[in-house]
Amino acid sequence: MVIATIASGGINTPALQAVEIVAHRGASHDAPENTLASVNLAWEKNTDGVEIDVYLSKDNQIVAFHDKTMKRTGGGTDLRIVDQTLAELKKLDAGSWKSPKYKGEQIPLLSEILPTIPEGKRLFIEVKCGPEIVPFLKADLKKAGRKADQTCVICFGSDVCRDVKQEMPELKVYWLSGQRKDKETGEWTPKLESLIETAQSIHADGLDLNANEKIDAEFVQQVKQANLGLYVWTVNNPDEANRLAKAGVDGITTDRPAFLRDALEK
Ligand code: G3P
Ligand code: CA
C-alpha cells in the first residue's frame, strides 16, 4: 500500500489514504500478461494486488487470458479461446510474443494462480465471459481454500457481478465501466449517478473505472458517500497516479507496479 496525503471533505485537513497498487495482467510491462511468470513477477515486486482476465474453456476450465482469440498473445491463430479444450490451450506458447526469454510459458489455470497469492495480498479476477462461469468459479475458489479477502471479482457485465455476489456474498465485487467524453458536447457518459445506481442495484462493493480527468476529489467523495469503493485502470504515468491517489481512489491498476509505487512514495 502507498500512503498518500489527501485533503478530506473539502477542508484542508490532511488525511491518510492507503492506495492499493494492482498489477494489470500481472507485471505485464516486463513479462507476458496473464501468465504465471507475470503474476509471480508482480508478487516479487511487492504489489498489493494482481489483476488477471479469465475465460471458461470449452471443457469448463477457468483459464487466464485477455483477448477473445489467440492471435496476439497465444501463438497467432484466429481460434477463439472458448472453443478450445484445456489440453489444446496448454499446447500454446503464451510467452514468445513478449520475448524469446518467455518461450513455452503456458496459459495458466485459475487454480494454478490461486496458490501464488501471498498473505495479505489479493487477486482481482476479471471475468471476460458470461455468467456461465459462476458455478465453476465458486468451485475453484472453494477448492483453493484461500481467505475470502484474498480474491475479488471484477467484470464489465453487471449480470456477472450480480450473480457472483449472490452466489458468494463474502467476495468483494467491483463493477467495471468506462466513461467517455463526447467530442462535440464535452459531456461524460455514463454519468456518475447512473454508474452508482447500477453498482448499488447489483449489490457491488464498488466501481472500477477507466482513469480519466473527471475523477477528482469531489467525484471520489460522491462514490464514497454511496458506500462504494473506487478503483481505476490502467495508469502507468506517475503524475496521473499521484493525482488520483490524492483524489482518494482506493486502488490503481498499472502495468508497472514497482515503478508506480516508487513514484508515489517519492
Ligand atoms: O482492470 C480492468 C482492466 O483490466 C479492464 O480492461 O482490457 O485491460 O481487461 P482490460
Ligand atoms: Ca483486465
Side-chain angles (χ1 to χ4, degrees), residues 56-61 82 84-87 136:
L56 199 57
S57 70
K58 188 179 175 186
D59 50 348
N60 294 327
Q61 303 291 318
V82 294
Q84 310 304 306
T85 62
L86 178 63
F136 301 98

Side-chain angles (χ1 to χ4, degrees), residues 24-25 51 53 66 126 128:
H24 184 235
R25 310 180 193 174
E51 185 255 8
D53 305 286
H66 180 271
E126 181 182 346
K128 286 287 190 197

Side-chain angles (χ1 to χ4, degrees), residues 228-240:
L228 294 168
L230 181 59
Y231 287 78
V232 291
W233 44 275
T234 299
V235 184
N236 295 324
N237 176 309
D239 292 339
E240 178 68 343

Side-chain angles (χ1 to χ4, degrees), residues 239-250:
D239 292 339
E240 178 68 343
N242 261 309
R243 187 189 73 75
L244 289 159
K246 284 181 186 155
V249 299
D250 293 299

Side-chain angles (χ1 to χ4, degrees), residues 84-255:
Q84 310 304 306
T85 62
L86 178 63
E88 287 163 336
L89 291 171
K90 279 290 184 186
K91 285 186 200 140
L92 300 171
D93 176 357
S96 288
W97 68 274
K98 184 77 176 174
S99 151
K101 176 170 129 186
Y102 291 110
K103 185 175 184 325
E105 194 66 34
Q106 290 183 331
I107 294 176
L109 283 159
L110 173 64
S111 61
E112 293 174 304
I113 294 176
L114 288 168
T116 71
I117 311 167
E119 276 298 312
K121 313 266 177 178
R122 64 175 175 162
L123 185 70
F124 285 64
I125 304 167
E126 181 182 346
V127 173
K128 286 287 190 197
C129 54
E132 67 280 2
I133 198 172
V134 176
F136 301 98
L137 184 58
K138 191 174 176 179
D140 271 8
L141 292 175
K142 188 169 176 207
K143 198 164 171 202
R146 306 309 308 254
K147 293 184 192 129
D149 62 3
Q150 286 194 287
T151 55
C152 62
V153 170
I154 61 176
C155 188
F156 284 99
S158 56
D159 52 347
V160 172
C161 290
R162 183 201 56 215
D163 289 5
V164 170
K165 198 68 194 172
Q166 217 159 30
E167 282 298 313
M168 294 169 273
E170 68 284 5
L171 273 197
K172 291 267 191 269
V173 173
Y174 306 103
W175 180 47
L176 283 165
S177 191
Q179 291 186 296
R180 307 252 170 283
K181 188 180 185 175
D182 187 297
K183 276 189 192 135
E184 274 154 34
T185 64
E187 211 177 298
W188 285 83
T189 52
K191 287 199 184 310
L192 179 56
E193 292 73 14
S194 140
L195 294 174
I196 288 175
E197 204 181 302
T198 302
Q200 288 178 328
S201 75
I202 57 175
H203 304 293
D205 298 281
L207 291 166
D208 197 343
L209 303 178
N210 60 322
N212 68 67
E213 68 200 52
K214 264 304 255 188
I215 302 176
D216 58 12
E218 198 187 317
F219 184 105
V220 176
Q221 209 178 19
Q222 232 179 300
V223 178
K224 298 279 163 77
Q225 271 165 2
N227 271 328
L228 294 168
L230 181 59
Y231 287 78
V232 291
W233 44 275
T234 299
V235 184
N236 295 324
N237 176 309
D239 292 339
E240 178 68 343
N242 261 309
R243 187 189 73 75
L244 289 159
K246 284 181 186 155
V249 299
D250 293 299
I252 298 176
T253 307
T254 175
D255 299 325

